[in-house]
Amino acid sequence: MNQNPTDVKEILALEESANALEITPEQRQDMNGEMEQVANQFLDQLSTTKAYRSSRPDKAVFRISDEQMSIQKILDTVSNHVFPHGINAASGGHLGYIPGGGLYASAIADYLASVSNVYAGMYYASPGAVEIEEACLNWLKECFEFPENSIGNLTSGGSIANLIALTAARDAKRVMERPVSEAALYMTEQVHHCIHKALRIIGLENVIIRIVDMNDRGMMDLPQLRSLITNDERNGKNPFLVIASAGTTDMGAIDPLKKLATIAKKHDMWFHVDAAYGGFFKLLPEYQGAFSGIEQADSLVIDPHKGLFLPYGIGAVLVKDRNAVFKSHHYTANYMQDATSGDVPVSPADVSPELTKHFRALRMWLPLKLHGIAPFQAALKEKILLTHYFREQLKNLGFQLGPRPDLSVSYFWYPRAQKQDAFNQQLLKNCHQDGRIFLSSTRVDGKFVIRIAILSFRTHKATIDQAIAMLQEQLKKIIN
Ligand SMILES: Cc1ncc(COP(=O)(O)O)c(C=O)c1O
């Protein structure tokens, strides 16, 4: 090892070079101006920008090298090579998958969260940030009638939220203490695929997965569920988990939550509800009945980047059994001793795989404080009515419709005596080429169907009229 005294001159020279990373107040002002211009242009043109473009960028423009670029050029690269390709997820015309829009108020929050670099994983590091996350979770507990002492976390999205919940179910029911292949769980084929991923990640890919039938509205069949559980019990298996959906991704169906909760309780099983897509519709007084029983769930997932219209990157999980969550996520290490000593509230890092955490809660808290709850409720109710309006217009054009949805996801197809799937596939392809409105597709009972998901706060009646006009035009082109 070199024992020479440290070269202070070198330290100072390096400091001078590294200082390029610290932006001066003047540079900051310029950068903010440039950034605002790009953001404003993006938003101002949104109503006339296509919702989908199938083009791809030239990846060479993103290459990182030692070369420096002005902020203007860098932002131009984003404007010209990122924004114009693929799905325009901020557009109200995005009616595919699960849209949301992306509230501007959250962008302000993200900006401040990054500028301050608040460390939101530990109470000790930022009591304020953790209290804000707690305030968001407490509001969710009130919305979903969860007890005050349940625990929660704001995650990156529904997938990680489901992962946390299913891990808690595994640990609370001590699944790993018996042969995993004896454990049994119950769900419909409509659960989101992130549930299957989570099961694989947490070592439960070999449990018995019972796929329960559904009725024609996509809801879990209760008699079949009861008989599957009883049969498994009789055969010495270990039924430990029922997974319900409150708003399936394909059909927007809400499983019969109240009855499922009763069944789960009777058989001493964990009851998980994935309400990532549908959950926030419970903010509407007229939906209290449909969601009845959700308060009895042992764990619940709700995605603010869906039904609260926040930009992508925020999901939420609530779990009643705190210890089950701590079992896999609570950890102490020598280098964390300052953070864990004393009587401090639970830290997000004890409830999630994440340790270092971006101040994610600010992007949920700030819009709720700024706008209040009423505009969210109005937007959600508008989405339900728009879904019915869309379906009526589709019917007038000769389309056939899936069952009347509980929420704002539905599907349709154009009936043909022959090659119906190919016809509808071509229709969707044409719509993608048109791009004014983005629709996605799915399969129901093996049949190709076009799917609508109305959940962006920017989707309004004019958007639906535009979608109908696009479908009518493209239909004409194929038929003629
Ligand atoms: C019902 C449901 N659960 C979970 C997810 C996964 O959520 P995320 O994409 O935020 O990870 C989705 C996504 O669409 C969903 O609709």
Side-chain angles (χ1 to χ4, degrees):
M1 278 240 324
N2 185 357
Q3 296 296 318
N4 292 338
T6 311
D7 183 348
V8 173
K9 265 197 194 150
E10 188 183 1
I11 295 179
L12 294 176
L14 290 169
E15 177 182 321
E16 202 177 320
S17 296
N19 263 341
L21 299 176
E22 188 61 89
I23 302 294
T24 65
E26 294 76 32
Q27 284 172 317
R28 204 186 305 145
Q29 209 172 4
D30 287 351
M31 275 186 170
N32 287 355
E34 299 283 351
M35 181 272 292
E36 256 179 47
Q37 214 177 325
V38 171
N40 287 337
Q41 194 182 25
F42 177 85
L43 288 174
D44 294 344
Q45 292 176 353
L46 204 49
S47 59
T48 52
T49 315
K50 289 188 170 192
Y52 181 65
R53 291 76 27 115
S54 60
S55 52
R56 291 180 185 183
D58 171 4
K59 67 178 181 184
V61 300
F62 302 126
R63 209 179 135 259
I64 296 171
S65 68
D66 201 25
E67 192 193 333
Q68 291 181 357
M69 232 191 212
S70 69
I71 188 68
Q72 195 179 15
K73 275 202 165 154
I74 296 166
L75 295 178
D76 280 351
T77 306
V78 178
S79 284
N80 299 331
H81 301 282
V82 178
F83 296 163
H85 305 289
I87 298 172
N88 186 349
S91 162
H94 176 21
L95 309 185
Y97 308 109
I98 304 285
L103 294 180
Y104 187 77
S106 293
I108 305 285
D110 281 353
Y111 175 76
L112 276 182
S114 293
V115 167
S116 61
N117 199 23
V118 163
Y119 187 103
M122 283 278 166
Y123 183 86
Y124 160 85
S126 178
V130 174
E131 290 293 3
I132 284 188
E133 176 154 345
E134 196 63 19
C136 292
L137 294 168
N138 286 340
W139 178 69
L140 291 174
K141 287 179 207 169
E142 281 170 33
C143 296
F144 294 94
E145 301 163 64
F146 260 52
E148 260 174 47
N149 67 350
S150 42
I151 207 161
N153 193 256
L154 294 180
T155 62
S156 59
S159 300
I160 300 299
N162 274 302
L163 180 81
I164 292 172
L166 297 184
T167 308
R170 178 197 69 185
D171 294 344
K173 295 298 172 192
R174 298 168 176 268
V175 172
M176 307 312 266
E177 292 174 20
R178 285 174 61 174
V180 166
S181 57
E182 284 178 8
L185 64 85
Y186 306 79
M187 60 193 192
T188 71
E189 66 167 23
Q190 288 280 324
V191 293
H192 191 268
H193 75 267
C194 73
I195 298 279
H196 293 275
K197 269 171 74 169
L199 292 172
R200 270 191 264 155
I201 293 167
I202 64 175
L204 295 188
E205 71 270 42
N206 291 328
V207 300
I208 303 163
I209 298 181
R210 301 283 185 216
I211 301 296
V212 187
D213 286 345
M214 296 171 294
N215 65 16
D216 58 0
R217 295 186 58 208
M219 297 154 82
M220 197 185 286
D221 182 90
L222 296 172
Q224 204 212 6
L225 172 69
R226 285 193 197 95
S227 106
L228 284 170
I229 296 173
T230 318
N231 235 3
D232 283 336
E233 280 175 341
R234 211 176 290 136
N235 292 322
K237 306 298 182 205
N238 173 26
F240 79 102
L241 172 63
V242 177
I243 302 175
S245 305
T248 54
T249 316
D250 263 352
M251 299 172 74
I254 304 176
D255 282 324
L257 303 175
K258 203 168 183 171
K259 291 189 173 144
L260 288 174
T262 309
I263 295 172
K265 201 173 206 168
K266 180 174 167 203
H267 295 274
D268 193 24
M269 297 165 76
W270 185 278
F271 180 39
H272 173 63
V273 178
D274 179 2
Y277 152 62
F280 283 110
F281 286 102
K282 190 176 182 291
L283 291 177
L284 302 179
E286 59 271 40
Y287 272 84
Q288 296 312 305
F291 284 97
S292 170
I294 204 164
E295 72 288 349
Q296 292 182 54
D298 292 294
S299 53
L300 172 66
V301 166
I302 334 107
D303 264 6
H305 69 191
K306 297 185 172 77
L308 273 193
F309 322 119
L310 305 194
Y312 294 135
I314 182 161
V317 60
L318 297 178
V319 183
K320 286 181 184 159
D321 183 340
R322 304 162 74 87
N323 291 331
V325 180
F326 290 153
K327 186 155 190 300
S328 33
H329 298 298
H330 183 68
Y331 203 84
T332 45
N334 290 342
Y335 50 83
M336 297 297 295
Q337 62 185 2
D338 301 330
T340 52
S341 59
D343 180 23
V344 293
V346 172
S347 286
D350 290 329
V351 191
S352 142
E354 289 181 285
L355 171 59
T356 299
K357 185 170 190 173
H358 167 250
F359 186 9
R360 188 177 288 143
L362 195 59
R363 66 203 326 265
M364 173 169 167
W365 180 82
L366 192 149
L368 288 170
K369 293 293 282 181
L370 182 72
H371 299 300
I373 314 297
F376 290 93
Q377 290 170 311
L380 287 163
K381 183 156 186 190
E382 180 198 17
K383 304 312 145 205
I384 299 277
L385 296 180
L386 287 177
T387 309
H388 297 315
Y389 173 71
F390 198 174
R391 284 167 52 90
E392 284 156 18
Q393 305 305 310
L394 287 166
K395 201 169 171 202
N396 292 341
L397 284 186
F399 283 99
Q400 290 196 350
L401 307 171
R404 189 180 162 87
D406 291 327
L407 301 172
S408 67
V409 169
S410 185
Y411 61 88
F412 60 93
W413 66 98
Y414 200 75
R416 303 296 283 174
Q418 282 172 348
K419 296 193 179 161
Q420 181 174 285
D421 276 8
F423 182 92
N424 284 280
Q425 271 160 354
Q426 186 60 48
L427 177 61
L428 186 64
K429 204 168 160 197
N430 283 16
C431 290
H432 284 173
Q433 270 158 10
D434 178 305
R436 277 173 285 174
I437 302 292
F438 179 72
L439 303 164
S440 58
S441 69
T442 187
R443 284 192 178 269
V444 177
D445 298 330
K447 179 174 64 208
F448 179 91
V449 294
I450 302 175
R451 186 178 160 279
I452 44 174
I454 301 181
L455 197 61
S456 167
F457 73 102
R458 292 198 177 101
T459 303
H460 303 298
K461 179 180 169 291
T463 328
I464 304 304
D465 291 339
Q466 203 179 18
I468 290 294
M470 178 185 78
L471 281 161
Q472 194 168 17
E473 265 175 50
Q474 300 306 334
L475 201 53
K476 247 193 208 160
K477 275 192 204 161
I478 311 183
I479 290 174
N480 292 332

